[in-house]
Amino acid sequence: MKKILIGVIAVAAMALTGCDEAKRLAGEVNGTWGSTPQMLVNDAGSQATIVETITFAQDPDSAGGEVIITGLVSSTGSMTGTDAVMQPFELAASASSTVKGRWTAVDDDEIMMNLDVQKMTVDVDPSALVISGNVLTGNTESNPEALRPQMAALVKGALTRQLTARYTAMHHLDDVKVKDKGTVLKFEVGKTDYVYSNQSPQAAK
């Protein structure tokens, strides 16, 4: 009976320790973190980078809460043509994205996230599109203004697919570390390393 009681106490102590470690990690990541440009797409015909801001909002007396990830995407590439333009052409575009969800620290270096990618927003400003012209002849299209809404829709669709894949995969943050006196956040998703800097006002002190 005594052995059973000791075992129960040991298990309870381990559970409390794990809970304390998870809350400690949650407190460390609580806040807003920003990245340098990260590669989002690197194909033969197109490239895109994203600068992300992740905000972990910790619920009171909890090891988790709401998470919001915003992104600024810059992309360049060539298109094979549309109904309006049969020849290939090049363009550059900028976009913004927002996805929300919930997060929970499960131990001292792991965070589980559930991002609602179905409600993710991706916005491409047609007026900011740069259509450089026919990649075969180098000629500039005679009426690029008319192409911008159609091109913006194509870019939005492509980026939405890439961001959906990115955030669907970002459900398990492993080897989570807050370093350099709380100014740097590092974690892994699969075999990819991510590094963010603390954007909270107190981090600059």
Side-chain angles (χ1 to χ4, degrees), residues 74-97:
S74 298
S75 64
T76 58
S78 59
M79 306 290 286
T80 57
T82 69
D83 291 340
V85 181
M86 296 306 295
Q87 298 85 4
F89 55 94
E90 294 180 342
L91 59 82
S94 299
S96 61
S97 65

Side-chain angles (χ1 to χ4, degrees), residues 3-202:
K3 290 182 179 179
I4 294 175
L5 194 57
I6 292 174
V8 170
I9 293 173
V11 170
M14 291 176 61
L16 288 173
T17 300
C19 183
D20 289 343
E21 290 293 334
K23 285 187 177 181
R24 179 192 58 77
L25 178 61
E28 289 181 348
V29 303
N30 182 46
T32 299
W33 306 83
S35 76
T36 56
Q38 302 173 358
M39 188 62 68
L40 179 64
V41 181
N42 190 19
D43 296 332
S46 61
Q47 291 78 40
T49 59
I50 183 170
V51 176
E52 279 181 334
T53 299
I54 304 180
T55 299
F56 293 100
Q58 185 181 10
D59 292 339
D61 195 31
S62 171
E66 183 184 41
V67 60
I68 301 174
I69 304 178
T70 59
L72 295 176
V73 182
S74 298
S75 64
T76 58
S78 59
M79 306 290 286
T80 57
T82 69
D83 291 340
V85 181
M86 296 306 295
Q87 298 85 4
F89 55 94
E90 294 180 342
L91 59 82
S94 299
S96 61
S97 65
T98 302
V99 62
K100 299 179 181 180
R102 303 288 298 177
W103 67 280
T104 302
V106 294
D107 58 27
D108 64 340
D109 69 348
E110 291 183 87
I111 290 176
M112 302 302 295
M113 290 206 303
N114 182 17
L115 298 173
D116 192 353
V117 294
Q118 298 301 319
K119 294 183 179 180
M120 177 179 64
T121 61
V122 179
D123 296 310
V124 178
D125 183 2
S127 66
L129 282 175
V130 178
I131 303 173
S132 60
N134 188 316
V135 299
L136 297 180
T137 66
N139 295 330
T140 302
E141 298 300 333
S142 59
N143 189 15
E145 296 293 332
L147 300 177
R148 285 198 169 109
Q150 186 178 6
M151 294 303 97
L154 290 174
V155 172
K156 178 178 179 178
L159 291 179
T160 297
R161 289 190 292 273
Q162 294 292 338
L163 290 168
T164 296
R166 178 184 179 88
Y167 294 133
T168 298
M170 200 176 282
H171 61 89
H172 180 203
L173 313 186
D174 195 15
D175 198 22
V176 183
K177 304 292 184 185
V178 177
K179 297 185 174 183
D180 298 335
K181 298 181 180 180
T183 61
V184 176
L185 170 66
K186 296 182 177 182
F187 59 83
E188 298 176 0
V189 176
K191 296 182 179 180
T192 304
D193 295 323
Y194 293 83
V195 180
Y196 297 78
S197 60
N198 199 329
Q199 304 296 298
S200 303
Q202 62 268 25

